[in-house]
Amino acid sequence: MSGLISLGTRTMFAAQAQLNTTANNISNANTPGYSRQTVQLETAGGQFSGAGFFGKGVNISTVQRAHNAFLNSEASNTAAVAAGDASRLDYLQRMEQAFRMGESGLGFAAGHLLNAFVDVASNPSDSSSRQVVLSRVEELASRYRSAAGELTALQQGITQDLKTSIATVNELAKRVADLNQQIARVKGLGHEPNDLLDQRDRLVGEISQFIQVTQIPAPDGTVGLFIAGGQRLVLGNDALSLTLVPDAYDNSILRLGVREGGVDRPLVESSLGGGTLAGMLRFQSQDLPAAINQVGRMAAVLAARLNEQQALGFDLNGNAGGPLLSTGAPRTLPHAGNTGSAQVTASLTGPMALEAS
């Protein structure tokens, strides 16, 4: 009779554990990052008798969460790529606003200016036609300045967004390191701390929204996070801090780096993968400079051609025509690590041969 009572007790405890786990799953159905849990059962073994082995019921082996490390990693990587593309698209759409279409665009202003020159050519002595040309020149120059100003504002916006995002990533990385320490502490008990693992996976997913990470699990239950093709971000209970370092040629532009041993080292942007940080940095390194260079080239070439044509004519006093437009002189940007005393200068002698670079 005692054996039957013991077997029934084991069965009742196992069923109660399953009910409790099911209730916990239902309670956390809407909890972000929660993984469904199931009770794992195993036979309690058998007791030998002269008639053979008689079963002793069922034991609770552990509580296991529904989790697949490969699928979790793939989901994080896919989300990182999507976040990077979305961030870059957002800035590209903002940049479009600097190049308005229709009557408020650069092309429309240039067309109006050329039409005004036609009127002057038809009646050179008409002072009102000449005044219209001057107003059209000022309007075109104003629109170029406006476009350049909006592009500069975009660069400033990227700098601020980079600072905010890096602060968030650093905080998330510290929390992952803390969870690593807690998980390693209870790992020796022989069972998985499911809730702690869920919290860590959720934090890693949040980090992936900002920067793509590679996860390397360790035997002690901790997970290492690596970025930029192998640079560690979190290892065990130690988390490094992302930082911003000035560009080697232009300190108004900031690049992504990591602080290790009190030293800030820049990261290779091409190896960052996905995430909003990677999207912003790609826009800053590729799309924004291309737009700035195109605007600068158009302004330089247009100004040079107008001034060249203006110099072929005469004003009302019979003097040769003076320049209508002027552009800034080229700048030279020495490398920050250059300790030499030589001075490099640049001048623009043939605007028509100028490439947008």
Side-chain angles (χ1 to χ4, degrees):
M1 178 64 72
S2 61
L4 182 61
I5 293 177
S6 176
L7 190 148
T9 302
R10 291 174 183 272
T11 303
M12 182 181 65
F13 284 157
Q16 183 182 20
Q18 290 178 314
L19 288 173
N20 290 340
T21 302
T22 300
N24 186 56
N25 288 336
I26 295 173
S27 301
N28 289 280
N30 297 319
T31 301
Y34 178 80
S35 298
R36 181 174 57 86
Q37 300 176 4
T38 55
V39 176
Q40 301 298 309
L41 303 177
E42 63 181 9
T43 180
Q47 183 175 3
F48 178 75
S49 70
F53 286 89
F54 287 87
K56 297 168 61 177
V58 64
N59 283 337
I60 300 173
S61 173
T62 190
V63 180
Q64 189 177 60
R65 63 180 184 139
H67 171 77
N68 185 288
F70 173 76
L71 294 179
N72 186 66
S73 176
E74 288 297 302
S76 295
N77 290 339
T78 302
V81 173
D85 291 341
S87 176
R88 189 177 184 182
L89 174 62
D90 177 59
Y91 273 100
L92 286 171
Q93 290 174 335
R94 295 189 205 180
M95 188 171 67
E96 280 185 329
Q97 303 304 314
F99 305 101
R100 297 173 178 82
M101 305 297 291
E103 295 184 3
S104 58
L106 293 173
F108 187 85
H112 262 205
L113 173 60
L114 296 178
N115 291 335
F117 270 116
V118 172
D119 294 338
V120 171
S122 300
N123 190 3
S125 60
D126 185 4
S127 59
S128 62
S129 297
R130 290 173 174 267
Q131 188 59 44
V132 169
V133 168
L134 294 177
S135 64
R136 298 296 188 211
V137 169
E138 176 56 36
E139 180 184 5
L140 179 61
S142 175
R143 293 193 182 185
Y144 268 104
R145 290 194 299 269
S146 175
E150 291 186 42
L151 295 178
T152 301
L154 268 179
Q155 176 61 65
Q156 296 171 349
I158 288 178
T159 299
Q160 186 58 46
D161 289 346
L162 285 173
K163 292 179 179 178
T164 303
S165 298
I166 284 177
T168 303
V169 172
N170 289 339
E171 178 61 28
L172 293 173
K174 290 179 182 178
R175 293 169 62 185
V176 170
D178 291 339
L179 284 172
N180 271 344
Q181 187 174 22
Q182 297 179 47
I183 292 170
R185 187 181 299 123
V186 300
K187 183 70 173 179
L189 299 177
H191 298 280
E192 297 288 341
N194 294 322
D195 292 332
L196 293 179
L197 293 174
D198 283 344
Q199 292 177 39
R200 187 177 66 185
D201 287 344
R202 182 173 60 83
L203 291 176
V204 172
E206 291 182 24
I207 291 176
S208 297
Q209 293 291 322
F210 294 95
I211 188 167
Q212 187 170 338
V213 294
T214 300
Q215 306 177 46
I216 305 295
D220 61 353
T222 64
V223 64
L225 302 182
F226 297 86
I227 59 176
Q231 169 61 51
R232 71 182 177 98
L233 179 63
V234 177
L235 192 60
N237 62 353
D238 181 41
L240 298 182
S241 296
L242 294 180
T243 185
L244 290 173
V245 296
D247 183 81
Y249 291 97
D250 188 352
N251 57 16
S252 66
I253 298 176
L254 299 179
R255 305 293 183 185
L256 185 63
V258 64
R259 180 166 298 166
E260 188 172 10
V263 178
D264 294 341
R265 294 187 295 101
L267 297 174
V268 180
E269 294 182 3
S270 60
S271 62
L272 289 179
T276 56
L277 283 172
M280 286 188 285
L281 290 170
R282 289 193 181 99
F283 176 83
Q284 178 182 254
S285 300
Q286 301 174 22
D287 306 315
L288 187 56
I292 292 174
N293 289 330
Q294 289 284 2
V295 171
R297 179 181 184 274
M298 286 191 297
V301 173
L302 180 61
R305 291 295 286 169
L306 283 178
N307 292 339
E308 178 183 322
Q309 191 66 32
Q310 175 76 359
L312 299 177
F314 299 93
D315 60 17
L316 290 178
N317 299 320
N319 301 318
L324 289 173
L325 293 169
S326 64
T327 56
R331 288 192 305 154
T332 58
L333 301 174
H335 193 279
N338 185 2
T339 58
S341 59
Q343 297 293 325
V344 179
T345 59
S347 60
L348 184 60
T349 57
M352 297 306 298
L354 187 65
E355 295 184 4
S357 63

